[in-house]
Amino acid sequence: MTNLPVEDLSVAVEKLGWYALRWKAEVFHKVMKSGCRAEEARLETAERLAKFLALIAVVSWRIFFVTMSARAKPDAAPDNVLTFAEITALDRIDASRTRPRLHRPTLAAYLLQIAMLGGYLARKHDPPPGNMVIWRGITRLHDISFGIAIGLNDVGN
């Protein structure tokens, strides 16, 4: 249902396309609410709330973007959406395994490794990893990247 004018089939199809995007907006807001815990913020001024919302909008968008990019273009290069530090950390994690998992340097392969850091089990019949497991995985990945950076800086001292 819409209150916008629909004169012909092409306009109706356009409105359906808009409605189909609604689910992505819902998922984006779920990342903001659940991942960033937006509703738990107890900010006392509108200015603080506006700054907080601007920050978590960027963070939420990144999680959503990484997840959806890997679904849309799984064979893309990981550096299309991941930072050098993220890729390096994932490569180092993989190199430390007795049986490395990153056989092909694709975005899908790197996203799977991020998802597994977030608790994704990657069993044969599991659905693709969702935004929340990617959120947890990227959070852990950033902690690991930070640890690697600290370790590299200490080596030179």
Side-chain angles (χ1 to χ4, degrees), residues 6-154:
V6 178
E7 291 88 23
D8 59 35
L9 180 62
S10 66
V11 175
V13 169
E14 177 188 47
K15 302 304 182 267
L16 286 172
W18 292 354
Y19 186 75
L21 295 175
R22 181 179 158 268
W23 182 246
K24 290 184 179 183
E26 294 288 339
V27 172
F28 172 78
H29 284 102
K30 179 182 178 187
V31 174
M32 285 181 83
K33 286 174 63 177
S34 300
C36 296
R37 299 185 181 146
E39 292 178 337
E40 294 177 23
R42 301 289 182 240
L43 303 170
E44 296 181 8
T45 67
E47 181 183 357
R48 288 179 182 170
L49 180 61
K51 288 178 182 177
F52 176 70
L53 289 174
L55 175 66
I56 67 170
V58 172
V59 171
S60 299
W61 171 84
R62 174 117 197 289
I63 302 298
F64 187 71
F65 178 71
V66 168
T67 306
M68 293 300 121
S69 294
R71 288 183 188 174
K73 296 195 177 196
D75 292 328
D79 63 357
N80 286 348
V81 297
L82 299 175
T83 67
F84 177 77
E86 291 166 337
I87 293 168
T88 301
L90 288 166
D91 287 343
R92 290 186 71 163
I93 291 166
D94 197 54
S96 70
R97 293 186 173 112
T98 54
R99 290 185 354 199
R101 296 181 184 141
L102 289 172
H103 303 292
R104 293 180 53 222
T106 64
L107 180 55
Y110 278 80
L111 185 84
L112 181 62
Q113 297 310 304
I114 292 170
M116 291 173 75
L117 287 174
Y120 184 69
L121 299 176
R123 297 172 295 206
K124 261 188 180 178
H125 300 292
D126 283 347
N131 289 290
M132 297 314 295
V133 76
I134 299 301
W135 170 271
R136 289 190 303 271
I138 284 183
T139 300
R140 284 200 64 212
L141 179 59
H142 284 194
D143 291 344
I144 293 166
S145 298
F146 186 62
I148 290 171
I150 290 171
L152 292 175
N153 288 335
D154 284 346

